Amino acid sequence: MGAYMIQFGYRHYRWSKQKNPEEEPKLPRFNPFVFLPPAICDIIGTSVMYIGLNLTTASSYQMLRGALIVCTGLLSIFMVGAKIPGFKWMGMLLVVLGLVVVGVTDILCGDHIEHSKQDIIVGDVLCVVAQVFVALQLVLEQKYMAKYDVEPLFAVGLEGIYGLVLLIIALVPLYYIHVPPVFSTNPQGRLEKHRDHLPISGPGKYS
């Protein structure tokens, strides 16, 4: 949002030199909360991917993120009426085949020293599920930016503000949630020990 306001101020400054009424930069007028659902999808998708990453291997995590292409394509058909040509369907099919190969390889030939086979299966599934939320975020952004003629930088700024506020609020309940060691490295097993990040807190001050 800061970058957009700097850009907007510069454009307004240039306009003030020319005084052309038709080119006067104006902030878009629309309900800014339409970009709240994409921000929520971003938070959910990132969180689910983090859980999946902790349960599977980093290489599988990176490759399974390719499911985003398929999820985005399918959602765009139902939500924005997109027309996908045949060669793109072929590409999506190849992506699905690649994802199947990665998943089967993890189960049959994976190194199960750090993670059990069950953990790897759950982690792989969560990585794919997370792409559904990321795809939903992208499709909603496309829909609203086209409908309200919103500049991408402005939309990203709104989502950033919403995400910041939501995560600050979420820090409170996350502090009281205890999780297994695979999801937390602090001695108390808290999901998020935000007090340690405060400059005024010394080591070991909070238990």
Side-chain angles (χ1 to χ4, degrees), residues 44-191:
I44 296 176
T46 304
S47 302
V48 175
M49 277 193 288
Y50 167 76
I51 298 174
L53 175 60
N54 279 273
L55 295 175
T56 188
T57 60
S59 57
S60 298
Y61 163 80
Q62 287 291 352
M63 289 184 285
L64 290 173
R65 292 181 67 183
L68 177 62
I69 300 173
V70 180
C71 297
T72 305
L74 295 177
L75 286 177
S76 64
I77 296 175
F78 297 105
M79 298 186 65
V80 297
K83 303 295 183 181
I84 300 180
F87 71 93
K88 291 186 178 181
W89 279 109
M90 180 61 66
M92 291 166 60
L93 177 61
L94 292 176
V95 170
V96 172
L97 293 177
L99 296 175
V100 172
V101 171
V102 172
V104 173
T105 303
D106 267 349
I107 298 173
L108 299 180
C109 309
D111 186 1
H112 305 302
I113 297 178
E114 295 185 3
H115 305 285
S116 66
K117 183 180 295 186
Q118 182 179 0
D119 286 345
I120 290 179
I121 294 174
V122 174
D124 289 351
V125 171
L126 289 177
C127 288
V128 175
V129 170
Q131 305 315 309
V132 177
F133 290 97
V134 179
L136 182 59
Q137 174 197 358
L138 298 177
V139 175
L140 288 175
E141 288 174 345
Q142 177 186 357
K143 178 180 179 179
Y144 293 141
M145 284 192 296
K147 182 177 181 179
Y148 299 107
D149 193 23
V150 181
E151 295 186 40
L153 195 59
F154 187 76
V156 171
L158 286 176
E159 291 182 23
I161 293 175
Y162 296 146
L164 176 63
V165 173
L166 291 174
L167 289 176
I168 290 176
I169 296 174
L171 284 176
V172 177
L174 292 179
Y175 178 77
Y176 296 100
I177 297 177
H178 295 268
V179 293
V182 68
F183 297 115
S184 177
T185 57
N186 64 75
Q188 292 77 32
R190 300 183 187 275
L191 187 58

